[in-house]
């Protein structure tokens, strides 16, 4: 089997792998780079050349995995597209939103090639999406050769899947993005355990993150709830910036439960945007598949309010409360960015980060700014001292590096391929894997260089 990383930038970026297995060619994910724009954000699909792609496997619906799917599928009209049923229920909504964002960016940032696809393009590819059941192998035959695909629940986010490929007597496992811990809305990864694989392709997101002694998801949730409670009691507001898919519904569910059991006082809760729409899809997924646990009841019980439309930097919103808004990294011109500009200059407020923040985003920069120092909201042309409490809580949607290491080594593979991680994160995995007693060949593939596994 040959694997080529089509993500031209390396790192996390626009995830996409080309896999050649005998008669079969397939692609794993077709993402869009969150920090790049225009065609530079798209994987190097030209590299596929005139190979015929038989199928595409979508691991989950975050944009760094699906954002360029319509571009790929237009070039490969015969490719079948496999994903879990929850992913199939979410993928169109996510792509339509991405199309809207690109249309806006075309004007704001003057990117002539945007949108990379239209709403009609999405509709045209939608009937090619085929759901795969978890733990149920699918066999495909071509020119007398057989390949088998088996999807396994990966935690991380609703619909996420890792998968096993069996071909020509070899068995290879691709983790996709993983979380082993159970969350409120979705159970953790249910990967095959202690089964021998010839090779593994693993994500390495948290390779540079050491979990501090004594910190666990539960203890971090407790700390978050304490911060919210104290802030609300002091008359302030709390902003929790979240990703629309996954984090938002997890936080709504968590806050609702904490209010019911008395860990949080009653106060207004505000939410808006794509995340609320996704919450409605989660309601349908819960009813149809029982693979997740989120119903409309949560939003109803919370009496979720829309944040005020007009917000002025430096001026606190008229009604204090808990604001659960995207984007998770305070990206410019998003609801969380706007709201942060109203809260930051007042000591009684708190901004609580619960997920990964890229250091180049406003969220990443705010986390690096010391209390009392000045922070600039560039596109609002507003700056103020950091007086609100700014904290981060370790509630990542990705597994700890040690857990992934343990899972990978338990399968006793000959080869491990590293994906989905910054260079430092990949280095940590390389060193840790090579230090193990079990001899394993570790490959950190350079973009567009085929590796044999
Ligand atoms: Zn993801
Ligand atoms: Zn990802």
């Amino acid at each position: 089997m040959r694997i080529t990383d089509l993500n031209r930038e390396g790192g996390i970026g626009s995830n996409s792998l080309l896999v050649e297995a005998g008669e079969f060619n397939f692609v794993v994910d077709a993402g869009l780079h969150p920090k790049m724009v225009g065609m530079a954000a798209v994987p190097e699909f030209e590299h596929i050349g005139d190979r015929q792609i038989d199928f595409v496997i979508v691991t989950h619906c975050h944009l760094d995995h699906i954002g360029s799917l319509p571009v790929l599928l237009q070039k490969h009209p015969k490719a079948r597209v496999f994903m879990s049923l929850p992913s199939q229920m979410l993928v169109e909504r996510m792509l339509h939103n991405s199309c809207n964002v690109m249309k806006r960016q075309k004007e704001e940032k003057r990117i002539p090639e945007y949108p990379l696809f239209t709403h009609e393009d999405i509709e045209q590819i939608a009937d090619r999406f085929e759901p795969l059941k978890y733990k149920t192998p699918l066999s495909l035959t071509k020119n007398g050769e057989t390949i088998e695909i088996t999807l396994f629940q990966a935690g991380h986010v609703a619909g996420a899947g890792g998968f096993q490929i069996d071909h020509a007597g070899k068995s290879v496992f691709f983790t996709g993005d993983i979380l082993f811990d159970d969350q409120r809305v979705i159970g953790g990864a249910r990967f095959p355990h202690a089964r021998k694989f010839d090779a593994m392709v693993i994500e390495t997101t948290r390779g540079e993150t050491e979990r501090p002694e004594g910190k666990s998801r539960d203890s971090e949730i407790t700390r978050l709830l304490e911060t919210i409670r104290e802030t609300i009691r002091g008359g302030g507001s709390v902003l929790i910036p979240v990703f629309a898919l996954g984090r938002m519904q997890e936080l709504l569910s968590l806050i609702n439960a904490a209010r019911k059991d008395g860990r949080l006082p009653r106060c207004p809760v505000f939410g808006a945007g794509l995340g609320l729409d996704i919450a409605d899809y989660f309601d349908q997924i819960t009813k149809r598949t029982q693979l997740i646990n989120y119903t409309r009841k949560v939003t109803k019980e919370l009496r979720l309010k829309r944040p005020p439309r007009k917000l002025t930097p430096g001026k606190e919103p008229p009604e204090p409360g808990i604001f659960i808004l995207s984007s998770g990294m305070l990206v410019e011109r998003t609801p969380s960015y706007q709201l942060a500009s109203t809260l930051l200059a007042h000591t009684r407020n708190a901004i609580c980060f619960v997920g990964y923040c890229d250091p180049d985003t406003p969220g990443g920069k705010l986390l690096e700014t010391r209390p009392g120092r000045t922070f600039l909201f560039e596109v609002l042309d507003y700056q103020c001292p950091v007086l609100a409490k700014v904290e981060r809580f370790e509630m990542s949607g990705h597994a700890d590096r040690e857990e992934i290491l343990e899972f990978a080594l338990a399968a006793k593979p000959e080869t491990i391929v590293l994906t989905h991680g910054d260079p430092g994160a990949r280095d940590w995995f390389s060193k840790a894997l090579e230090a193990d007693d079990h001899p394993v060949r570790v490959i950190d593939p350079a973009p567009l260089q085929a590796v044999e596994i």
Side-chain angles (χ1 to χ4, degrees):
M1 218 178 281
R2 268 154 63 97
I3 296 184
T4 310
D5 188 353
L6 300 177
N7 169 18
R8 57 184 104 207
E9 299 295 323
I12 293 182
S14 52
N15 297 288
S16 193
L17 297 174
L18 167 66
V19 185
E20 299 163 87
E23 292 289 319
F24 296 91
N25 298 313
F26 64 95
V27 170
V28 182
D29 289 336
L32 203 62
H33 199 298
K35 284 199 306 191
M36 316 280 284
V37 293
M39 281 314 283
V42 177
E44 189 92 36
F45 293 136
E46 296 75 29
H47 188 85
I48 296 171
D50 50 15
R51 291 178 189 85
Q52 191 201 322
I53 297 299
D54 299 292
F55 58 92
V56 177
I57 301 179
V58 172
T59 62
H60 66 289
C61 287
H62 280 147
L63 278 191
D64 59 322
H65 298 260
I66 59 159
S68 61
L69 197 53
V71 180
L72 174 70
L73 295 186
Q74 261 165 14
K75 289 186 192 149
H76 298 275
K78 287 193 182 141
R80 298 171 71 178
V81 191
F82 303 121
M83 62 189 81
S84 71
L85 180 58
S87 287
Q88 193 202 11
M89 292 170 77
L90 290 166
V91 63
E92 284 171 67
R93 182 67 188 85
M94 293 299 287
L95 289 173
H96 281 300
N97 187 70
S98 173
C99 178
N100 291 336
V101 171
M102 285 191 281
K103 280 182 170 175
R104 215 171 55 217
Q105 287 182 334
K106 181 190 185 73
E107 309 297 327
E108 285 169 2
K109 297 188 177 172
R110 295 178 200 281
I111 309 166
E113 61 261 54
Y114 273 3
L116 295 171
F117 47 85
T118 62
H119 293 298
E120 295 76 56
D121 292 336
I122 301 166
E123 256 133 55
Q124 270 171 21
I125 57 167
D127 58 2
R128 293 166 62 190
F129 301 152
E130 300 179 48
L132 283 189
K133 262 196 175 152
Y134 290 123
K135 294 201 286 190
T136 311
L138 172 79
S139 273
L140 302 174
T141 307
K142 184 182 177 187
N143 302 337
E145 249 182 47
T146 302
I147 196 166
E148 204 173 77
I149 312 157
T150 317
L151 196 68
F152 294 87
Q153 196 172 308
H156 185 58
V157 76
F163 61 94
Q164 173 182 343
I165 292 285
D166 288 286
H167 173 265
K170 276 202 169 181
S171 197
V172 181
F173 195 85
F174 295 71
T175 65
D177 292 7
I178 341 160
L179 180 65
F180 290 104
D181 288 347
D182 287 339
Q183 301 180 76
R184 291 194 60 82
V185 172
I186 180 169
R190 305 273 188 276
F191 282 173
H193 242 281
R195 188 182 302 173
K196 160 94 181 123
F197 287 110
D198 297 290
M200 272 226 179
V201 182
I202 63 171
E203 71 125 312
T204 59
T205 315
R206 283 166 66 78
E208 282 181 291
T209 314
E210 195 177 346
R211 182 174 282 279
E213 267 310 295
K215 261 193 196 176
S216 65
R217 181 171 295 269
D218 284 347
S219 68
E220 287 294 275
I221 289 174
T222 306
R223 201 164 65 83
L224 172 68
L225 293 176
E226 268 164 23
T227 305
I228 298 176
R229 197 169 53 223
E230 273 163 34
T231 308
I232 296 297
R233 284 210 178 125
S237 286
V238 180
L239 166 63
I240 309 175
V242 288
F243 290 113
L245 170 59
R247 294 288 86 186
M248 174 106 171
Q249 300 76 27
E250 184 69 18
L251 261 295
L252 291 175
S253 174
L254 179 72
I255 284 169
N256 190 39
R259 266 176 31 153
K260 279 175 150 176
D261 64 22
R263 282 180 295 164
L264 281 184
R266 303 224 153 237
C267 71
V269 180
F270 300 88
L274 174 66
L276 286 192
D277 239 32
I278 301 282
D280 284 342
Y281 282 80
F282 272 30
D283 178 76
Q284 292 167 33
I285 294 170
T286 303
K287 286 179 180 145
R288 197 166 149 195
T289 71
Q290 287 162 10
L291 286 167
I292 62 170
N293 176 24
Y294 187 98
T295 63
R296 263 183 243 274
K297 221 174 95 190
V298 176
T299 340
K300 236 187 226 159
E301 286 176 347
L302 280 171
R303 293 174 199 263
L304 204 72
K305 295 184 171 194
R306 303 260 156 185
R309 269 179 180 273
K310 209 175 153 18
L311 292 167
T312 313
K315 199 167 166 252
E316 291 174 280
E319 192 181 13
I322 307 170
F323 294 79
I324 304 171
L325 303 173
S326 55
S327 84
M329 304 194 203
L330 287 192
V331 169
E332 290 91 348
R333 299 184 181 88
T334 60
S336 63
Y337 183 80
Q338 299 282 351
L339 197 90
S341 78
T342 71
L343 301 184
L344 195 60
H346 307 272
T347 48
R348 60 180 176 179
N349 301 321
I351 300 178
C352 303
F353 289 93
V354 292
Y356 175 73
C357 265
D358 186 286
D360 293 336
T361 58
K365 288 178 189 161
L366 179 57
L367 279 165
E368 287 302 305
T369 310
R370 286 218 298 275
R373 292 291 176 92
T374 306
F375 184 80
L376 172 65
F377 290 88
E378 220 171 305
V379 300
L380 297 174
D381 203 15
Y382 165 72
Q383 62 175 37
C384 68
V386 178
L387 296 180
K389 193 173 193 177
V390 176
E391 285 249 20
R392 76 165 303 136
F393 299 85
E394 293 294 335
M395 295 165 62
S396 173
H398 293 268
D400 282 349
R401 56 191 191 178
E402 286 80 10
E403 293 175 296
I404 295 179
L405 200 68
E406 192 187 320
F407 169 72
L409 289 169
K412 304 225 177 315
E414 279 87 65
T415 310
I416 291 181
V417 181
L418 308 177
T419 61
H420 202 283
D422 291 331
R426 292 170 189 242
D427 285 349
W428 183 88
F429 271 95
S430 292
K431 289 200 182 90
L433 287 165
E434 278 158 3
D436 192 78
D437 299 340
H438 170 73
V440 61
R441 183 169 66 117
V442 183
I443 301 176
D444 180 5
L448 310 180
Q449 308 247 314
V451 294
E452 202 74 45
I453 59 166

